[in-house]
Amino acid sequence: MTGPILGWDVGGANLKAARIGDVDQCEPTVLERSFPLWREPHNLSAVLTETAERLGGAGTMAVTMTAELADCFTTKREGVAFVLDAFQTAFPAIDPWVYGVDGRFRSAAAARKQPLEVAAANWMATATLVARSIPDALLLDVGSTTADVIPIVAGRVAARGRTDPDRLRTGELVYTGALRTPVCAIVRSVPLCGRLCRVAAEHFAVAADVHLWLGRIEEGDYTCETPDGRGRSRHEAGARLARMVCADLEMLGDGEITAIAEHIAQAQVRRIAGGIRQVMRRLGPACPCVAVLAGQGTFLATAAAEECGLITRDMAHDVGSAAARAAPAAAVAYLLAEMVDV
Amino acid sequence: MTGPILGWDVGGANLKAARIGDVDQCEPTVLERSFPLWREPHNLSAVLTETAERLGGAGTMAVTMTAELADCFTTKREGVAFVLDAFQTAFPAIDPWVYGVDGRFRSAAAARKQPLEVAAANWMATATLVARSIPDALLLDVGSTTADVIPIVAGRVAARGRTDPDRLRTGELVYTGALRTPVCAIVRSVPLCGRLCRVAAEHFAVAADVHLWLGRIEEGDYTCETPDGRGRSRHEAGARLARMVCADLEMLGDGEITAIAEHIAQAQVRRIAGGIRQVMRRLGPACPCVAVLAGQGTFLATAAAEECGLITRDMAHDVGSAAARAAPAAAVAYLLAEMVDV
């Protein structure tokens, strides 16, 4: 027995950690926090330390990351090295196990040598874990920022893409999410007084404003920053949405904001469904008919899966709701536990 | 004779000023500066003072603005009042003349009472000035952030929209520009190794990176901030473009970046052409066949005009190149001069 394991998913905007192996807990303890790494990379090691302490620490750590894409790094190579440096600073006595897109763990030293093997491998961790219990499924992990569409066929992860660019091309990565996605990246126009209106190409509003306005998330779920630095009330979200058509709440009423928000939400669903359909076309008759839903944006995943005629199953039923929201962090912890116990 | 006049175009991200009336200058003296008002609104009055001093000052001032849309203001009303307050602080002895979408100047006190009349009226100033010399034309003013498509018919400004939302609906305002536009607001996918690849919905790259890479602007023209805070070299712009498909310059070569950049530039041209065609359809046979080009993005305006079968004419031929780039600032100065001289 190795004692508790901490699993980490280090993103460019969010940090997720899951602790497993406590005898009195059958579900992992999970912490998620918004952490804009690109703005304060120097704080990463301190945030890692603090997060570990809040979870009670652990002597064994499993790491996956997407943070290497953050634009504070010139290349992925630089990003991977930076994240591993931060772990070394935060936990000098622990050599973390780093998960790769090949489904294997390696030491930090080995990971540094092959950075593209460990860059953006978090989807593989979640899918590998799901494949243990559901041998045929499409994993739909819709997070704050991106949506993963990962086929699992006959107990194996059947994704075609390995790098992010390949995954974007195959539909296995759809860059839209429940919170951080700028509205101007989702739609080019929205309905306004019965006609379509172009939107401003500005970072005026994000997906969180849309879903908060529509009541699909609560203020407490709006964990990313607001574009204008104001609050997360429905009124403030509505003002941000009005600004997308260069208007304000003195010009538009609630009904107009709702029509705009519904249009944007529907566009996100269509975008994710487009990724699902691309994966379904590639797999043909072998494609699973069950979608397993994970992440903070299960409401988007559900709608997209239903649009594609899939049966939905919530990953929370299998691993608990906290672990399903922070799926890659819990997954690397569970997968490492398998290796360590062997 | 009133002496020199300073014309101002106060945007949310840029400030333009033009001084006219100097006996030894037939062209206006123009200053443009990047000024992210939304981040440092408290600096506006100081920036106004400094800009006026650099231009030699003036006892008479004409003002137009779009800054009221910046998301540091809750409403346009608040934004208009803030800008006028900044003028009062900067130039306590001068009562500026504020231009409105009705083509008239008014005092600051009157402008405060009807903020929607003076919000985003800068296009009307440019179009009114152009109409003096070219009675039938489509004015295409493509700036750093937006494109205006303003019909001038029989010597009158024949725009249908008055407010920004109305202008976005009619095609008279297309929210795309030569510098600041986020790439994720322009395209959903780009070519990559012979296939289309989805792009990241992140503020990784802007239009300036595209046009710098393609050699359509120089480093000195890249006056807005870079998304990652790095430099404006072609290499750095290329790295930002690579990140749009979640790649880096270790993964992509120059040819791949060029294909991506050309696709994005073409999408911007199509977007502007879409606005032009919408205006042409509305006007029918009355639509002018000459496009008058202004702004920093005349290369985009030219391509869009040609795509729509229009003859192009550079506004610089009529007012000089500096005034054509900062057209609304020069226009309000000239229009006020007409009024004052009468």
Side-chain angles (χ1 to χ4, degrees):
Chain A
M1 185 63 198
T2 58
I5 295 176
L6 269 189
W8 297 92
D9 181 19
V10 184
N14 296 287
L15 180 70
K16 295 168 186 163
R19 179 181 146 123
I20 65 162
D22 295 294
V23 285
D24 55 341
Q25 301 263 346
C26 59
E27 284 193 13
T29 319
V30 172
L31 258 181
E32 283 179 74
R33 57 184 287 176
S34 169
F35 174 62
L37 176 79
W38 76 89
R39 204 170 47 217
E40 37 177 328
H42 51 283
N43 285 337
L44 177 57
S45 60
V47 168
L48 291 175
T49 308
E50 185 196 313
T51 305
E53 279 168 6
R54 285 177 58 194
L55 282 170
T60 308
M61 294 194 182
V63 175
T64 184
M65 68 179 86
T66 54
E68 77 288 339
L69 180 64
D71 64 4
C72 50
F73 309 121
T74 307
T75 59
K76 291 172 192 284
R77 183 183 302 278
E78 183 187 319
V80 167
F82 183 93
V83 171
L84 295 177
D85 286 347
F87 271 91
Q88 200 161 38
T89 305
F91 315 111
I94 300 172
D95 194 18
W97 291 98
V98 188
Y99 192 76
V101 283
D102 57 359
R104 293 166 187 269
F105 286 98
R106 63 212 75 206
S107 68
R112 284 171 195 275
K113 284 183 198 149
Q114 294 194 294
L116 288 188
E117 286 292 303
V118 299
N122 61 354
W123 58 273
M124 176 60 100
T126 311
T128 302
L129 184 70
V130 169
R132 297 279 189 278
S133 48
I134 313 167
D136 289 278
L138 272 185
L139 168 64
L140 302 184
D141 186 350
V142 181
S144 66
T145 307
T146 58
D148 290 312
V149 181
I150 313 298
I152 298 162
V153 177
R156 297 174 62 88
V157 179
R160 170 166 283 183
R162 282 294 179 269
T163 64
D164 273 349
D166 281 345
R167 300 178 61 234
L168 285 166
R169 278 192 293 184
T170 55
E172 292 166 3
L173 173 58
V174 179
Y175 216 112
T176 206
L179 302 180
R180 290 186 57 248
T181 312
V183 166
C184 66
I186 303 171
V187 290
R188 293 180 186 166
S189 56
V190 291
L192 184 63
C193 308
R195 284 175 64 189
L196 280 177
C197 179
R198 291 167 177 81
V199 299
E202 299 275 8
H203 193 58
F204 282 155
V206 291
D209 294 311
V210 171
H211 303 305
L212 186 95
W213 180 268
L214 295 174
R216 288 175 196 160
I217 64 170
E218 308 283 331
E219 276 190 53
D221 302 319
Y222 193 144
T223 52
C224 63
E225 296 172 331
T226 59
D228 56 4
R230 291 183 211 279
R232 294 169 173 80
S233 68
R234 189 163 187 263
H235 183 82
E236 287 163 304
R240 286 189 284 271
L241 292 170
R243 190 169 273 115
M244 288 309 307
V245 288
C246 300
D248 62 25
L249 290 185
E250 292 186 3
M251 298 170 82
L252 302 187
D254 277 17
E256 280 141 352
I257 304 291
T258 299
I260 290 171
E262 280 175 349
H263 184 88
I264 299 164
Q266 190 53 40
Q268 283 201 290
V269 170
R270 267 201 311 276
R271 201 76 67 88
I272 298 167
I276 296 173
R277 285 203 190 90
Q278 191 178 346
V279 171
M280 291 173 84
R281 274 196 304 274
R282 176 171 71 78
L283 291 174
C287 188
C289 60
V290 175
V292 173
L293 315 176
Q296 298 161 284
T298 44
F299 58 93
L300 289 170
T302 303
E306 287 174 354
E307 194 170 304
C308 297
L310 296 167
I311 299 157
T312 59
R313 169 172 170 166
D314 202 325
M315 190 179 166
H317 295 158
D318 301 292
V319 296
S321 62
R325 279 170 63 98
V332 285
Y334 283 121
L335 294 172
L336 184 63
E338 287 178 13
M339 312 287 287
V340 175
D341 282 341
V342 166
Chain B
M1 186 64 198
T2 58
I5 295 177
L6 269 190
W8 297 91
D9 181 19
V10 184
N14 295 289
L15 180 69
K16 295 168 187 163
R19 180 181 145 123
I20 65 162
D22 296 294
V23 285
D24 53 343
Q25 300 264 345
C26 59
E27 285 193 15
T29 320
V30 172
L31 257 182
E32 282 179 75
R33 59 184 287 177
S34 170
F35 175 61
L37 176 78
W38 76 89
R39 206 170 46 218
E40 38 178 326
H42 51 284
N43 284 337
L44 177 58
S45 61
V47 168
L48 291 175
T49 308
E50 187 196 311
T51 306
E53 279 169 6
R54 286 176 58 193
L55 283 170
T60 308
M61 295 195 183
V63 175
T64 183
M65 68 179 86
T66 55
E68 77 289 338
L69 180 63
D71 65 3
C72 50
F73 308 122
T74 307
T75 58
K76 292 172 191 284
R77 182 183 303 278
E78 183 187 319
V80 167
F82 183 94
V83 171
L84 296 176
D85 285 347
F87 271 91
Q88 199 160 40
T89 305
F91 315 110
I94 300 173
D95 194 18
W97 290 99
V98 187
Y99 193 75
V101 284
D102 57 359
R104 293 165 186 269
F105 286 98
R106 63 211 75 205
S107 68
R112 284 172 196 273
K113 284 184 199 150
Q114 294 194 295
L116 288 187
E117 286 292 303
V118 298
N122 61 354
W123 58 273
M124 176 60 99
T126 311
T128 302
L129 183 70
V130 169
R132 297 278 189 278
S133 48
I134 313 167
D136 288 277
L138 271 186
L139 168 65
L140 303 184
D141 186 351
V142 181
S144 67
T145 307
T146 58
D148 290 312
V149 181
I150 312 297
I152 298 162
V153 178
R156 298 176 61 89
V157 178
R160 171 167 282 185
R162 282 293 180 270
T163 64
D164 273 349
D166 281 346
R167 300 177 61 233
L168 285 166
R169 279 192 293 185
T170 54
E172 291 166 4
L173 173 58
V174 179
Y175 215 112
T176 206
L179 301 181
R180 288 186 58 249
T181 312
V183 166
C184 67
I186 303 171
V187 291
R188 292 180 186 166
S189 56
V190 291
L192 183 63
C193 308
R195 284 175 64 189
L196 280 178
C197 179
R198 290 167 177 81
V199 299
E202 299 276 6
H203 193 59
F204 282 155
V206 291
D209 294 311
V210 171
H211 303 306
L212 186 93
W213 181 268
L214 295 174
R216 288 175 197 161
I217 64 169
E218 309 281 332
E219 276 190 53
D221 301 319
Y222 194 144
T223 52
C224 65
E225 296 174 332
T226 60
D228 56 4
R230 292 182 210 278
R232 294 170 173 79
S233 69
R234 188 163 187 262
H235 183 82
E236 288 164 304
R240 286 188 284 270
L241 292 171
R243 190 169 273 114
M244 287 309 306
V245 289
C246 299
D248 62 25
L249 290 185
E250 293 186 3
M251 299 169 81
L252 302 187
D254 277 16
E256 280 141 352
I257 304 291
T258 299
I260 290 171
E262 280 175 349
H263 184 88
I264 299 164
Q266 191 51 41
Q268 282 200 291
V269 170
R270 268 201 311 276
R271 201 76 67 88
I272 298 167
I276 296 173
R277 285 202 190 90
Q278 189 177 346
V279 171
M280 290 172 84
R281 273 196 305 274
R282 175 171 72 77
L283 291 175
C287 188
C289 59
V290 175
V292 174
L293 315 177
Q296 298 161 284
T298 44
F299 57 94
L300 289 170
T302 303
E306 287 173 354
E307 196 171 302
C308 296
L310 296 167
I311 300 157
T312 60
R313 168 170 171 168
D314 203 325
M315 190 180 166
H317 295 159
D318 301 290
V319 295
S321 62
R325 280 170 62 98
V332 284
Y334 283 121
L335 293 172
L336 184 63
E338 288 179 12
M339 312 287 286
V340 174
D341 282 341
V342 167

